Amino acid sequence: AASSFSLRDLFFVKYEAKEGEQRAVGLHRDGSSLSFNVLLNHASDFVGGGTYFDYPVNKTFKIDKGAVLVHSGKRSHAGVEITSGRRFLLVGFIDLASEPAIELHFQDHTP
């Protein structure tokens, strides 16, 4: 039922291939049951990027403007570094009433 879902957080993320700006986010797990991101600009506006998932897929997923990538917040993933341009995302965390929330443990591995 829709009432079993609750929005924990919704925020804007900017990756920019410029000195002093965030270019990537290292491997981490979110504190939510489900996580999603929406690409807000064209993929041609930047080089690199995407969402990397380690075990068991070891794959980077790239989406186009307006597309949504949804995944378990408990799945280890990373925001892949961009090497030029800017990448804009809307990121959200959703909790399920039937699952206890987990603590968020985040490490930024950008240089």
Side-chain angles (χ1 to χ4, degrees):
S3 62
S4 66
F5 295 92
S6 63
L7 184 63
R8 175 188 285 208
D9 203 357
L10 185 67
F11 54 95
F12 176 79
V13 175
K14 177 183 83 167
Y15 295 100
E16 186 166 3
K18 183 178 172 184
E19 185 67 33
E21 297 292 332
Q22 178 175 309
R23 295 173 184 239
V25 173
L27 276 174
H28 65 282
R29 289 182 173 88
D30 301 327
S32 58
S33 300
L34 294 172
S35 299
F36 67 88
N37 62 58
V38 180
L39 184 61
L40 299 176
N41 61 326
H42 293 283
S44 60
D45 292 344
F46 56 89
V47 175
T51 303
Y52 170 78
F53 293 91
D54 64 355
Y55 180 84
V57 294
N58 296 314
K59 182 176 179 178
T60 298
F61 291 85
K62 294 185 176 190
I63 57 177
D64 293 322
K65 181 180 179 182
V68 179
L69 176 65
V70 180
H71 61 90
S72 167
K74 297 171 178 68
R75 173 74 59 202
S76 182
H77 62 285
V80 176
E81 181 179 11
I82 64 166
T83 56
S84 72
R86 293 186 296 179
R87 179 179 179 223
F88 300 110
L89 297 167
L90 180 66
V91 175
F93 298 149
I94 298 171
D95 289 329
L96 302 174
S98 62
E99 292 186 15
I102 62 171
E103 289 184 39
L104 177 63
H105 296 282
F106 175 78
Q107 280 188 310
D108 185 357
H109 296 284
T110 56

